[in-house]
Amino acid sequence: MGTVIVDGIEVAIGDDEHLNGIEVARRAGIEIPHYCWHAGLSVVASCRMCLVESGTRNPDTGEITVVPKLVPACQTPAKDNTVFVTNSDRVKHSRAFVEEALLMDHPIDCPICDKAGECHLQDYFFEHGQAQRRADIRPFTSKKRDVGPTVTLFADRCVMCTRCVRFTREITGTSELMVIDRGSHDEIDVFPGHPLDNRMSGNVVDLCPVGALGDKDFLYEQRVWFMEKHDGVCTGCSTGCSISVEENQDTVYRLKPRENPRINQWWMCDEGRYGYHHVHSTKRLVGAVRRDASGATAIEWEQVFSELPARLQGAGPLAAVISPHLTVEEAYLLATYIRQIDPAARLVVGPVPVEGTDETFPNGFTIRAEKCPNRRGVEEIVKHFGCESEVYEAVQSDVAAGLIGGVWVSGGYKTDTFDAAAAQALSSGKLLVVQDLFASPVTEVADYQLPGPAFPEREGSYVNCADRLQSVPWAIRSPAGVRTDGSVLWRLLGRAGLYRSRTVLDEIAATIPYFALAAGPVSPQGVALSETTPATTTT
Amino acid sequence: MARFEPVLLANIDRENSHRLSVYESTGGYQALRRVLAEMDPVAFTELVKSSNLRGRGGAGFPTGLKWTFLPKGHPGPIYMCINADESEPGTFNNRVLMEEDPHQVIEGIILSSFATRATTAYIYLRYEYPLSYERLQGAIDEAYAAGYLGKNIQGSDFSLDIYLHRGAAAYICGEETGLIESLEGKRAWPRIKPPFPAVEGVFRKPTVVNNIETVCCVKQIAQRGVDWFKSIGVPADPKNSRDPGSYGPKLYCLSGHVERPGCYEAPLGITCRQLIDEYGGGVWKGRRAKAAIPGGISMGLLTEAELDTPLDFAGPGKVGCLGLGTAAVVVMDETVSMVDFLYNSCRFFAHESCGQCTPCREGTEWSVRMLARIKAGKGRLRDLDLLLEIGDTIGIIPGTTICGLADGAAWPIKNAIRKFRDEFEDYIKRTNPTGYLVTDPVPALQVVSLH
């Protein structure tokens, strides 16, 4: 253990901790302003906003020796007896000058800038800036430059922190971005004909501390202060990145990576980032439908709850196709419900979409080929009910062969997963219940077509490919007419009160050893269910 | 004062002074042969250390001490980088050496590499010096052919290769770590220190960066000895432990408003006035000097009254300048406008700032814009205080930037305004008597200054 003194506050650091001045100050509750430093990137110490006084305390005499130079806190290691002074007049003067200098040529276009509300330049100005603007005011232009399919650059808003350049060099290894020109004419740019076009390009927008890099998908869509941010898990692939779902009045406007050193660090891929538009598709199923000899009829959910149990009981041997897009809790409830009706019911993991091969970037971040968030969790649920080796395809053929009478198919897929052949096979039994997001050949022949929720509408837990369980709340309400799988099954099981995933997870953790470590509170970084499983990435 | 007998420039007036045969005929490479035969790297390093040779590139750091910062017992490779990116305005002493006596340079590089156990030396040459390139490359080729470079130099177990690398045509390429970055093929953005080049330099290997004139001094020390070297210049100040003295000969570049501009060799400690009068033939056209730059514009300004300042490593600092720098003296006569001088100075640094650090990138640009406005007759008296504040902020708070360019940009501002404030005030009052801020018309819906 060591002790670092920040503005007179003693901060304990571990022997194996390598913290810089900014990080150790945070422990003392002190925020040192900075632009160029980012924990996930190399240190360049160029913005000079984090300059502080630094020195050493003599452990024997207690005497403090301060070096005459101001030092960048981002580049100064915090060791035992290191002293940082972050609030002296020299430091304040230095910060104020840097802030004033940055604003000299920066357009004050906060009313239209996408970053307003979360701009460091704006925030630091109020906290550290000069009371008066002394530089001559010049007409500002807003030079917009297309740097790639997902990102646009407003060059004159840039503060040359070079985080984006370093990201493409150090994280993706693609090096599309560079600095051109010199001095105050410095600009970020791409080489002609080589746009910023990699599978993680959207991260540079998150990294930009000002409004220089804009996300084309989000540009001018929403002011950040109108949105609410909810913890989420990306359901785009089995990495299961920790994300934030940002919405306003039940409309999702953007997804952002949520820092999680055990899974995705600070990043997410573009596929996941922009893979939410289906949530608000006009093609979503929004009402329950019963189909019989006279055709398809819209019915109320209450009718579903009143007549479906009897129909399932009368269908003979049952099977449930449990989608890997379901949460652990939903999968458990579905399995429990089907087994309640038919103790010998077949339970299988639904189709697991696979596209291409895993792609791993130089820093270890991996985009998985397996395009679902919870195969591991559903597998363990199914295994618990004694159906370890069952496969989805077998259910199809068994229904066609008359061995299974009723099937419950859960969905949640973004893409077409069930084809006409599946529909023909599954509909040959006595009863087919399909709960899904979009119409498909299977919903078209289902006896009961139940509209399902999209991922931001679900609450519950997902287990990623590395056996890490994350629990998230729902971010938006489902469209009218849609009920979540969890709430439907909760009701069908006849349980009292509202569906709460935490209640179900407690039950699962107490029942299934694989989930035992989820018994306590699940941290925002998730919980490793398998002690032997390494993290996807480490810091 | 008796004219000092040139040593560094002793050969330059000979015909074909750049050829190996001429150099050898004047005793060239004898010192190298003797050192290789009689000394080991440690002993030679100690010899240079004991001479108190201070680097001639501008900062004046003790050369032998710098060599000892290399990690002991490092398996190598260790690199020697020769800074020949001579970009400080007014400075051309290295150019004279490279063009007229390139073998002296090469002998100095070989000796310095021997001391540091470097097996590869790079000469990072200012792009705008085509003749230096031609002469140096010719000399390198001759040295290889004669066995002064390559494997087992002169039968010793020391081997060295020298590569001549043309620079990227930017002032910042001459900054120690900017040079290293540029040499590695990257944008010449100075590196944050630590690690220092002695620990992690070129290709992340231990590296020494020395100046052309410095290695020529090394050659002269090897040839003539420490006693000779220390007999020249200004001894250490016994009352000031931070003044280790300024020993040896120095090349002074004299330019501007003098009768005989040129590169002159004189002992360290010669005064600026002596240099102007005795070497430069006085201020041209019989005019009076108004000011002089003591060592490149980054060092600041001497007023006419300060021209008796000794041009050693300590002298200019005593009259409010940054230091001796490259000892490139630029003389300005009484007709020169200090407003023009400062505008040009600021314009240079704003143009050459690499743009990495905010205070330098924006501060240098801010100063040149203000001076442009003042020059255009739109100045205000309070602009002068703001200029001083910019100068202080980018140059006085140490550590404000990664490299020293911002410091260099600040000293002309501080010196010019503090030493010639009356002239600036007169200019502003004369050209903008109302004192109002006159700005160019700006389009509607723009932010307007409220003060």
Side-chain angles (χ1 to χ4, degrees), chain A residues 51-68:
Chain A
L51 290 178
V52 293
E53 295 192 63
S54 175
T56 311
R57 178 178 65 175
N58 185 323
D60 299 325
T61 64
E63 186 184 0
I64 291 173
T65 311
V66 176
V67 296

Side-chain angles (χ1 to χ4, degrees), chain A residues 43-49 51 68-72 75 90 93-94 97-102 104-105 108 130 132-141 158-160 162 179-186, chain B residues 169-171 187 189 192-195 350-359 361-363 365-366 369-370 373 380 386 389-390 393-394 397-402 437 439 441-443 446-449 451:
Chain A
V43 176
V44 290
S46 62
C47 77
R48 298 276 138 176
M49 192 66 183
L51 290 178
K69 294 172 71 163
L70 293 180
V71 297
Q75 201 226 343
R90 283 177 79 200
H93 178 252
S94 171
F97 181 80
V98 170
E99 189 68 14
E100 183 176 26
L102 287 174
M104 206 168 67
D105 261 343
I108 313 298
Q130 299 276 12
Q132 188 184 37
R133 183 169 184 147
R134 299 176 298 175
D136 298 349
I137 304 298
R138 289 160 38 115
F140 291 122
T141 56
C158 177
V159 294
M160 292 308 300
T162 69
V179 178
I180 60 165
D181 290 340
R182 195 162 71 197
S184 62
H185 301 286
D186 269 353
Chain B
Y171 180 73
R187 187 184 176 88
W189 275 13
I192 44 175
K193 293 176 274 191
H351 183 262
E352 296 297 343
S353 168
C354 81
Q356 191 176 194
C357 306
T358 310
R361 181 181 69 238
E362 306 296 345
E365 177 68 15
W366 192 359
R369 279 192 203 166
M370 286 180 69
R373 180 166 52 74
R380 297 164 300 175
L386 188 52
E389 190 183 327
I390 294 170
T393 307
I394 64 176
I397 298 178
T400 307
T401 49
I402 290 171
L437 174 63
T439 54
V442 293
Q446 295 295 327
V447 179
V448 182
S449 173
H451 56 276

Side-chain angles (χ1 to χ4, degrees), chain A residues 318-463:
Chain A
L318 297 180
V321 177
I322 307 177
S323 167
H325 277 271
L326 261 52
T327 64
V328 169
E329 294 84 348
E330 290 166 339
Y332 177 79
L333 290 179
L334 177 55
T336 304
Y337 178 62
I338 295 297
R339 277 294 172 90
Q340 191 183 73
I341 298 173
D342 176 7
R346 306 269 292 277
L347 305 173
V348 295
V349 180
V352 176
V354 175
E355 292 174 16
T357 54
D358 290 357
E359 181 177 357
T360 301
F361 289 88
N363 81 320
F365 185 91
T366 302
I367 301 174
R368 303 279 168 185
E370 192 176 282
K371 302 299 177 191
C372 62
N374 197 26
R375 175 184 57 81
R376 286 290 299 124
V378 174
E379 274 178 356
E380 292 296 330
I381 295 290
V382 169
K383 193 192 295 183
H384 168 71
F385 285 93
C387 298
E388 187 167 356
S389 59
E390 294 283 4
V391 294
Y392 158 70
E393 289 76 8
V395 168
Q396 272 184 231
S397 53
D398 285 357
V399 174
L403 300 173
I404 295 172
V407 187
W408 184 302
V409 176
S410 56
Y413 299 95
K414 277 187 270 186
T415 52
D416 296 339
T417 304
F418 301 104
D419 56 15
Q424 189 178 6
L426 293 170
S427 62
S428 58
K430 289 182 184 169
L431 182 68
L432 177 60
V433 181
V434 180
Q435 191 171 15
D436 207 348
L437 266 175
F438 296 104
S440 70
V442 175
T443 58
E444 294 303 313
V445 297
D447 298 289
Y448 286 90
Q449 171 190 303
L450 307 179
F455 71 93
E457 298 155 17
R458 299 181 193 270
E459 70 169 14
S461 310
Y462 299 94
V463 182

Side-chain angles (χ1 to χ4, degrees), chain B residues 67 69-81 112-122 158-161 197-199 201-209:
Chain B
W67 292 351
F69 292 159
L70 291 166
K72 302 285 181 292
H74 192 278
I78 292 170
Y79 293 109
M80 169 65 66
C81 271
S112 302
S113 301
F114 172 71
T116 55
R117 294 186 166 88
T119 52
T120 303
Y122 296 101
F158 176 63
S159 303
L160 177 70
D161 290 306
V199 178
V202 178
F203 310 122
R204 300 288 167 186
K205 297 293 182 186
T207 300
V208 169
V209 183

Side-chain angles (χ1 to χ4, degrees), chain B residues 105-138:
Chain B
V105 173
I106 290 168
E107 188 176 2
I109 294 172
I110 301 168
L111 285 163
S112 302
S113 301
F114 172 71
T116 55
R117 294 186 166 88
T119 52
T120 303
Y122 296 101
I123 302 174
Y124 189 95
L125 177 67
R126 178 172 161 84
Y127 184 84
E128 294 87 342
Y129 280 179
L131 184 58
S132 295
Y133 177 77
E134 190 183 305
R135 293 269 166 93
L136 274 173
Q137 191 58 59

